[in-house]
Amino acid sequence: MDTSKRFDKGNGGCPGIQCEANREVLCNSCSEGVITAAHRVQDRSIEPCLFGKGGTCCRNCNMGPCQIIEGVDSMKGVCGADAATVAARNFARIVAGGAAAHMDHGRGVALAFLATAKGETPYEIKDGMKLRETALRIGIDPGEKSKTDLAIEVGEKMVAEFGQQEGVLSFIKRAPAPRQELWEKQGVAPRGVDREVVEMMHRTHMGVDQHYEHILQHAARCALADGWGASMIATELSDIMFGTPVPIRSKVNIGVLKEKEVNVTVHGHEPVLAEALAMAANDPEIVAECKKVGAKGVNLAGVCCTGNEILMRRGLPIAGSFVQQEVVLATGAVEAMVVDVQCIMQGVSPVSSNYHTSLFTTSDKAKITGATHIPFEEHNAMDVAKDILKRAIAKFPERGKHFIPVHEMDVVAGFSHETINYILGGRFRASYKPLNDNIVNGRIRGVAAIVGCDNFRVMDEVHVELAKELIANNVLVLVTGCAATGMGRAGLLSPEAKEMAGDGLKEVLEAVGCPPVLHMGSCVDNSRLLIAATEMVHTGGLGSDISEIPVVGCAPQWMSEKAVSIGQYFVSSGAYVVFGPSFPTTGSKKVTDFCFNEMNEIYGGSWDLAVTANEFANKMIDKIDARRQALGLDKKKERVLFDMAMRRELGSSIPGMGCSPGGH
Ligand code: NFS
């Protein structure tokens, strides 16, 4: 690869990535000498190993590592393992790693929920209605039970599902009936949350499961234990405890940092930490401390999915997505970064050491060299939150040379499944019927989910270009995770962006007053997409299973193992899922064929691979059209094909649109 193409080197030879705000910070003298991932990816002289990239490097025992070439006998593993076995094992371990992250997150939420129900934390049970609905769904009769008793019962049952050994997880029963039967027939209905990951690790140990299809079928079960298990538990209990999101206005991008306030960025994933910091930031004691140092207050801003959690529920701003985590610090304007788990680059530690910035780790699962560790758990939530904020406030007078770019963008977020119900159907007849009707009558062609990370190896805003092309073709777009933050930076999360939609979609958006791209939350909240898809099936008119509705998904800039687990639970749920810019099994044609084709025979959903926004759009729209045709909805619809000039024109047709200049 020609490395010079990886970056627009900007004005001073300084790397920038995916956003003008990043470039401005990294090109400013306040970040001189600071090394970020953007620099590291540019400076790496060795290209990614093809065996590793294609999934055919095996290091599961000490006879290797063995690099395998499919079809070449002399290039099997020392044990005789072929490329298909090795690629399947590696893929399965990626799924297990990703699922485990969501499972530990879900467990943390469930334990905090139970402690809250027992009155042992500063949180409360905010959404009583959702508590009762959830109780019913998991087989608990709410009857006349008090909120406290019911919450304890729900909490205990949810916590128990992590260690459950037999039967199936409760939320599996939310899926369309034919899907449940299919999972049962395939033997992939998950029995317990933790059990499926442990079994995945066991099966992929040296000398155990050595049939690639059999390995991949358990990967499907493991992923389902994530999506319909741990992630759904995390989302539903977080909603009950912290409030179910409703549409809310806020801002995203590095410009949300404030000159006259103590900037505290909270980075990671678990909402319990961020909620406590948000509660503590308004505490009179903290307000008084701020005054003492001449600050107007604490400006709490999110990074990565923690940002999505507090944006959805509290309207707090997001300072940056995954690729911006070090750049946010390189402004020199952050007093403290508080982290818990997942997607936190070790690089944040050396970057923060260039400034007065304190880096605090808080989870007993995660320490980082150079950071100060302050253990946080729900029982001592407020004490720890206040302690952290006081330490951050004490740093405010030490803020030196700094630079806050002007870039920030208005967004509307908070589209939970419940909210979409109300927005479309109205509070008194909440329903997905208007959505289904508009898909049937063709105003809306279909629905596409764009999820997942952003990635230093993808220089273009593929998410954004793809979303523009989809909405211009009347496809309603749902987003989560760091993809959602990217959409926010580009102005696609504001109702004004409806101007970029095709005529049919625009008509619907004008009637309901929402953006063409709906922010549904963090990556754990992809479970909301499963529920929304199921709701579309139950509402009727679009087939009897998720594999029939004109809904597709993609992760064009995936980076984390979690994204693969998410992709697999969507595929196993009947969705067509496109990943890019690479797929981790391409070293084995057999395994890749199984994922891209045979899974479709089994689940009615499959994987695919694309690189450019245009390729993604073509594949996704083709699939939507094919599903529409199978439903007998209409003939092939006209297609708006994009070229670069059209993209530019669309980007500039709306004031303030686009991440580059003017995006503030
Ligand atoms: Ni999802 Fe969220 Fe972002 Fe990717 Fe990481 S923060 S859980 S994994 S990088 S979207």
Side-chain angles (χ1 to χ4, degrees), residues 443-459:
R443 276 195 198 94
I444 299 179
R445 187 181 211 132
V447 179
I450 304 181
V451 311
C453 330
D454 37 23
N455 184 334
F456 289 95
R457 293 201 181 271
V458 183
M459 288 303 117

Side-chain angles (χ1 to χ4, degrees), residues 275-328:
E275 282 288 327
L277 288 167
M279 286 155 73
N282 295 320
D283 188 279
E285 198 185 334
I286 295 298
V287 175
E289 289 288 318
C290 285
K291 267 202 187 128
K292 274 193 222 161
V293 297
K296 276 189 173 169
V298 169
N299 177 34
L300 197 62
V303 174
C304 281
C305 276
T306 291
N308 289 316
E309 298 274 356
I310 52 175
L311 169 72
M312 291 278 281
R313 296 205 177 81
R314 290 182 172 265
L316 290 172
I318 296 188
S321 61
F322 176 76
V323 294
Q324 292 182 294
Q325 57 186 290
E326 292 164 311
V327 190
V328 167

Side-chain angles (χ1 to χ4, degrees), residues 287-550:
V287 175
E289 289 288 318
C290 285
K291 267 202 187 128
K292 274 193 222 161
V293 297
K296 276 189 173 169
V298 169
N299 177 34
L300 197 62
V303 174
C304 281
C305 276
T306 291
N308 289 316
E309 298 274 356
I310 52 175
L311 169 72
M312 291 278 281
R313 296 205 177 81
R314 290 182 172 265
L316 290 172
I318 296 188
S321 61
F322 176 76
V323 294
Q324 292 182 294
Q325 57 186 290
E326 292 164 311
V327 190
V328 167
L329 296 173
T331 59
V334 175
E335 274 59 54
M337 176 173 265
V338 193
V339 308
D340 53 21
V341 288
Q342 301 167 23
C343 302
I344 301 143
M345 293 196 292
Q346 188 170 348
V348 294
S349 178
V351 175
S352 63
S353 70
N354 282 278
Y355 305 96
H356 68 309
T357 311
S358 295
L359 177 66
F360 296 113
T361 50
T362 58
S363 166
D364 59 4
K365 302 179 192 91
K367 287 190 176 184
I368 299 175
T369 307
T372 305
H373 190 70
I374 304 184
F376 172 93
E377 52 98 33
E378 55 273 7
H379 293 88
N380 63 8
M382 283 308 273
D383 292 342
V384 175
K386 280 196 207 167
D387 179 22
I388 289 172
L389 292 184
K390 283 182 194 164
R391 292 179 191 227
I393 294 165
K395 287 282 177 180
F396 182 73
E398 292 174 32
R399 191 190 291 177
K401 193 172 171 193
H402 62 280
F403 168 73
I404 302 176
V406 288
H407 301 276
E408 57 176 15
M409 183 58 85
D410 292 324
V411 299
V412 179
F415 293 93
S416 54
H417 142 72
E418 289 82 352
T419 291
I420 293 177
N421 230 355
Y422 289 135
I423 287 184
L424 291 169
R427 185 155 289 275
F428 298 106
R429 52 182 183 88
S431 154
Y432 273 59
K433 191 155 186 314
L435 174 62
N436 283 25
D437 288 350
N438 280 309
I439 291 175
V440 170
N441 68 29
R443 276 195 198 94
I444 299 179
R445 187 181 211 132
V447 179
I450 304 181
V451 311
C453 330
D454 37 23
N455 184 334
F456 289 95
R457 293 201 181 271
V458 183
M459 288 303 117
D460 305 316
E461 286 273 39
V462 177
H463 293 142
V464 172
E465 297 308 321
L466 170 59
K468 285 180 188 169
E469 191 156 346
L470 290 171
I471 61 178
N473 280 287
N474 295 309
V475 175
L476 177 68
V477 174
L478 311 177
V479 282
T480 56
C482 291
T485 307
M487 304 286 174
R489 287 195 298 262
L492 289 168
L493 300 183
S494 77
E496 293 73 44
K498 69 176 183 307
E499 297 306 327
M500 304 166 89
D503 290 345
L505 176 61
K506 195 166 153 191
E507 206 180 307
V508 178
L509 297 171
E510 270 164 358
V512 296
C514 67
V517 178
L518 302 181
H519 188 333
M520 292 189 77
S522 64
C523 270
V524 147
D525 291 337
N526 281 315
S527 57
R528 297 188 200 278
L529 299 172
L530 296 174
I531 296 168
T534 303
E535 203 56 42
M536 288 171 72
V537 171
H538 288 154
T539 301
L542 295 174
S544 59
D545 199 351
I546 297 173
S547 52
E548 293 175 57
I549 55 176

Side-chain angles (χ1 to χ4, degrees), residues 72-385:
V72 179
D73 267 353
S74 58
M75 288 297 281
K76 282 184 170 172
V78 171
C79 68
D82 63 15
T85 300
V86 171
R89 280 202 301 230
N90 285 333
F91 179 84
R93 283 199 166 195
I94 294 175
V95 170
H102 287 152
M103 289 165 181
D104 245 9
H105 174 155
R107 180 195 337 277
V109 171
L111 290 171
F113 180 91
L114 187 53
T116 300
K118 291 177 178 167
E120 296 166 3
T121 78
Y123 314 116
E124 51 183 314
I125 301 299
K126 278 198 178 150
D127 192 337
M129 198 205 286
K130 186 153 181 171
L131 171 66
R132 294 178 73 81
E133 287 167 1
T134 305
L136 277 170
R137 274 198 194 101
I138 60 174
I140 295 173
D141 177 9
E144 297 301 306
K145 286 170 195 160
S146 71
K147 193 154 111 175
T148 302
D149 288 348
L150 188 58
I152 292 174
E153 212 176 317
V154 167
E156 281 171 346
K157 180 151 172 73
M158 293 285 85
V159 169
E161 295 218 336
F162 287 83
Q164 187 173 297
Q165 302 303 321
E166 297 296 341
V168 310
L169 298 174
S170 299
F171 284 138
I172 284 288
K173 295 180 192 123
R174 279 181 102 164
R179 189 58 31 186
Q180 293 182 49
E181 282 161 27
L182 176 67
W183 289 335
E184 210 44 62
K185 197 173 126 222
Q186 289 293 327
V188 298
R191 298 153 294 189
V193 173
D194 295 346
R195 177 169 182 186
E196 308 309 352
V197 169
V198 171
E199 186 168 321
M200 191 81 267
M201 296 308 285
H202 176 197
R203 285 196 195 206
T204 52
H205 183 276
M206 193 272 152
V208 187
D209 199 354
Q210 286 157 97
H211 190 289
Y212 69 96
E213 292 181 19
H214 198 238
I215 295 168
L216 292 170
Q217 282 290 70
H218 188 72
R221 174 150 58 177
C222 188
L224 289 170
D226 171 357
W228 294 87
S231 284
M232 206 171 281
I233 291 172
T235 296
E236 300 299 71
L237 297 188
S238 295
D239 280 358
I240 297 171
M241 195 164 29
F242 304 129
T244 304
V246 293
I248 194 161
R249 280 191 178 273
S250 188
K251 291 184 186 294
V252 302
N253 215 347
I254 307 176
V256 305
L257 297 177
K258 299 249 172 71
E259 199 62 53
K260 300 204 163 96
E261 296 184 28
V262 178
N263 290 311
V264 178
T265 53
V266 49
H267 175 13
H269 282 80
E270 295 182 357
V272 281
L273 168 69
E275 282 288 327
L277 288 167
M279 286 155 73
N282 295 320
D283 188 279
E285 198 185 334
I286 295 298
V287 175
E289 289 288 318
C290 285
K291 267 202 187 128
K292 274 193 222 161
V293 297
K296 276 189 173 169
V298 169
N299 177 34
L300 197 62
V303 174
C304 281
C305 276
T306 291
N308 289 316
E309 298 274 356
I310 52 175
L311 169 72
M312 291 278 281
R313 296 205 177 81
R314 290 182 172 265
L316 290 172
I318 296 188
S321 61
F322 176 76
V323 294
Q324 292 182 294
Q325 57 186 290
E326 292 164 311
V327 190
V328 167
L329 296 173
T331 59
V334 175
E335 274 59 54
M337 176 173 265
V338 193
V339 308
D340 53 21
V341 288
Q342 301 167 23
C343 302
I344 301 143
M345 293 196 292
Q346 188 170 348
V348 294
S349 178
V351 175
S352 63
S353 70
N354 282 278
Y355 305 96
H356 68 309
T357 311
S358 295
L359 177 66
F360 296 113
T361 50
T362 58
S363 166
D364 59 4
K365 302 179 192 91
K367 287 190 176 184
I368 299 175
T369 307
T372 305
H373 190 70
I374 304 184
F376 172 93
E377 52 98 33
E378 55 273 7
H379 293 88
N380 63 8
M382 283 308 273
D383 292 342
V384 175

